[in-house]
Amino acid sequence: MRGATADPGIAKEPKGSAWHPCPGHRYRRHLSRRCERVFRDVRDPAKAVVIQLADERYARLVIQVLDARAAVALVENALPN
């Protein structure tokens, strides 16, 4: 894991679709313009947290949590300095 951020603006980011595939990949939950796999599960953008991953199937997880700032602090504090 690389880090996490609270990002209510993520809802404005265009979502990938089967019509915008990346070479060598099937459609996933979301493919960004940079051809990275992004898992999304957010209904309320104010509660969105983006977790950056390294060496995983998905490059980012965009998830909804109860308290975005507290969740980010937990993730950041768990990472090695």
Side-chain angles (χ1 to χ4, degrees), residues 2 4 12 21 31 41 43 49 52-53 65-66 71 79 81:
R2 293 182 179 165
K12 294 178 184 175
L31 293 171
D41 190 9
R43 290 190 179 92
V49 171
Q52 299 286 338
L53 301 175
V65 297
L66 292 176
L79 294 174
N81 293 331

Side-chain angles (χ1 to χ4, degrees), residues 17-29:
S17 70
W19 295 279
H20 300 288
C22 294
H25 297 289
R26 289 190 203 172
Y27 171 70
R28 300 292 182 210
R29 178 91 169 161

